[in-house]
Amino acid sequence: MMKMNDLIHIRRAFHQIPELGFNEFKTQQLLLDTISNMEQTRLQIKTWKTAVFVRVEGRQDYTIAYRADMDGLPITEETGYSFASKHEGAMHACGHDFHMTIALGLLDHFASHEPECHLLFIFQPAEEGPGGAKPIIEADVLGAWQPDEIYALHIDPNLPVGSIATKPGLLFANTSELFIDFQGKGGHAAYPHTANDMVVACAHFVTQVQTVVARNIDPLDSAVVTLGVIAGGTKQNVIAATARLEGTIRTLSMASMEVVKSRLEAIAAGIEASFACKIAIDYGSNYCEVYNDPELAEAFAAFSKTRKGITFVEAEEAMTGEDFGYFLKQYPGVMFWLGVDSPYGLHDSRLQPSEEAIGIAIEHMVAFLSAKKPR
Ligand SMILES: CC(=O)N[C@@H](CCC[C@H](N)C(=O)O)C(=O)O
């Protein structure tokens, strides 16, 4: 059985090897090595691309899945940790090192304590993009291992350690990535009349995008358009022939997603006309909302409220995205936040979640899954 020290060691090992979506090769190997040291009698293991699936045979013919995501982000770490990322320009800045460690702690427990229901652990690649849940479902990778219920957690830096938060129904937003390429005519800085400057066209586009939510979305609904990358040009005295924006759209309803996309396209058409350029919009990968099964979420909340050392918090809807939403479209289940009390937030190069939360989450979910009966 793994001890707390072993789990901290594993979390730090994951932390040092963050890998981007569908490139989680070392991460997959570390998962498999760790799982191979567990009691094997009731385990069945399979892999698909960089994903790992482990089924634990239980007493009742009812399967509860638990999902942990595996990928890191293209962020240069600035935590100052002795166990900081060894992969330059990549970091576990969204807590997936925690998510995997907690899942391993649970798996280790149930490998040597027969669970009431069958358990299915899903170590899923590419949550940050392009998305691993949908391809797993579409390729029917689970086959006969179909879950009856599914659960997952996400660390929450804003909540104190010992907190668990969720809500029935809508928890996270619909998302769409956004990649916008501007193509014009470059030229000499001193001859602007011979070119059409894509830095200026791009700047106009960025400014106009700020009206999309403010002037098209019902204030009682919610939407976000964030442009996280702006790039263009090659030299200070060369007029840029191209520019590129990268971002993401978040909406609580699918109707608002369609409104945002059509407004972006209308703005692009206007900029194309006024700057005599071409603009191509690519929506990359899209995630559906995360919608918790109301009955299961109420039951999970009720259980959490009975647990000593746990403070249950009624969550608000968040504009984060999660491709766990695709699993929840397929199987009833619950996603919840785990308090990790970091002074810096998710996707911050200084994210410092408290490792104390790992043991708390494992204990909580061991108790929950041990008490869980088929519906
Ligand atoms: C929990 C979390 O932070 N998830 C990510 C999901 C990103 C999806 C996709 N790459 C996008 O940017 O739209 C998030 O940023 O919310």
Side-chain angles (χ1 to χ4, degrees):
M1 284 281 294
M2 286 199 272
K3 305 237 177 338
M4 203 52 220
N5 275 351
D6 303 322
L7 290 161
I8 299 296
H9 180 80
I10 290 167
R11 181 262 158 160
R12 294 181 178 189
F14 281 131
H15 191 81
Q16 290 181 73
I17 55 163
E19 295 166 300
L20 305 189
F22 286 119
N23 283 292
E24 303 94 338
F25 300 108
K26 293 185 199 168
T27 305
Q28 182 187 48
Q29 195 54 55
L30 181 54
L31 283 166
L32 292 170
D33 291 346
T34 309
I35 294 163
S36 72
N37 289 325
M38 295 176 186
E39 169 60 48
Q40 298 292 303
T41 341
R42 55 178 69 87
L43 303 190
Q44 285 174 279
I45 302 165
K46 67 178 169 189
T47 59
W48 179 81
K49 298 196 177 191
T50 49
V52 178
F53 306 87
V54 189
R55 184 176 182 274
V56 189
E57 182 78 14
R59 280 185 284 272
Q60 302 221 39
D61 196 16
Y62 190 85
T63 303
I64 301 178
Y66 184 86
R67 175 276 208 166
D69 39 14
M70 300 165 64
D71 53 322
L73 280 158
I75 291 178
T76 299
E77 179 163 353
E78 292 179 306
T79 56
Y81 283 155
S82 57
F83 56 90
S85 169
K86 288 183 177 159
H87 291 177
E88 211 182 309
M91 177 185 173
H92 270 300
C94 203
H96 301 187
D97 49 347
F98 267 54
H99 302 170
M100 287 184 284
T101 307
I102 291 163
L104 285 173
L106 278 174
L107 173 55
D108 181 55
H109 174 88
F110 288 111
S112 48
H113 298 83
E114 188 182 24
E116 183 65 17
C117 302
H118 307 313
L119 300 178
L120 176 64
F121 288 85
I122 301 174
F123 295 92
Q124 179 219 295
E127 186 276 328
E128 297 292 349
K134 202 172 177 200
I136 287 171
I137 294 165
E138 282 174 351
D140 191 24
V141 182
L142 299 184
W145 294 357
Q146 292 297 308
D148 295 289
E149 296 178 23
I150 189 161
Y151 293 82
L153 65 76
H154 203 293
I155 64 159
D156 187 341
N158 299 314
L159 287 175
V161 172
S163 319
I164 280 184
T166 193
K167 69 183 281 296
L170 187 64
L171 185 70
F172 292 172
N174 298 276
T175 71
S176 170
E177 294 177 344
L178 191 53
F179 302 99
I180 307 168
D181 282 298
F182 294 72
Q183 179 66 59
K185 187 166 174 253
H188 194 293
Y191 303 95
H193 55 294
T194 66
N196 47 4
D197 190 337
M198 288 307 98
V199 163
V200 178
C202 188
H204 276 258
F205 187 92
V206 171
T207 309
Q208 289 185 34
V209 163
Q210 307 315 310
T211 66
V212 168
V213 173
R215 287 295 169 265
N216 296 283
I217 300 298
D218 181 338
L220 298 180
D221 193 355
S222 282
V224 177
V225 182
T226 291
L227 297 169
V229 174
I230 181 166
T234 51
K235 194 172 182 318
Q236 115 290 344
N237 62 350
V238 178
I239 292 173
T242 61
R244 181 172 164 90
L245 295 168
E246 295 183 5
T248 180
I249 309 169
R250 311 296 166 94
T251 63
L252 288 187
S253 69
M254 265 319 281
S256 292
M257 179 62 80
E258 294 315 317
V259 171
V260 170
K261 286 183 174 176
S262 80
R263 291 311 304 152
L264 290 173
E265 286 158 25
I267 291 172
I271 300 280
E272 279 184 327
S274 51
F275 287 84
C277 65
K278 286 278 164 229
I279 300 178
I281 300 183
D282 173 2
Y283 293 113
S285 70
N286 292 217
Y287 295 171
C288 68
E289 65 195 15
V290 169
Y291 192 90
N292 283 335
D293 180 87
E295 194 187 314
L296 293 178
E298 296 287 10
F300 181 74
F303 174 84
S304 302
K305 285 174 191 166
T306 65
R307 298 293 299 169
K308 218 169 133 229
I310 296 291
T311 305
F312 182 79
V313 179
E314 299 289 344
E316 303 279 345
E317 287 152 3
M319 300 308 280
T320 35
E322 247 286 358
D323 67 345
F324 185 64
Y326 286 115
F327 284 122
L328 289 177
K329 278 224 178 302
Q330 208 72 8
Y331 315 108
V334 179
M335 170 155 252
F336 61 95
W337 292 109
L338 173 74
V340 294
D341 196 16
S342 162
Y344 307 105
L346 298 175
H347 297 195
D348 190 306
S349 56
R350 298 157 297 173
L351 176 73
Q352 288 168 21
S354 167
E355 288 176 332
E356 206 193 325
I358 292 173
I360 292 172
I362 294 171
E363 204 181 307
H364 190 67
M365 287 311 286
V366 162
F368 177 72
L369 293 171
S370 302
K372 191 87 187 73
K373 299 271 184 276
R375 276 221 272 193

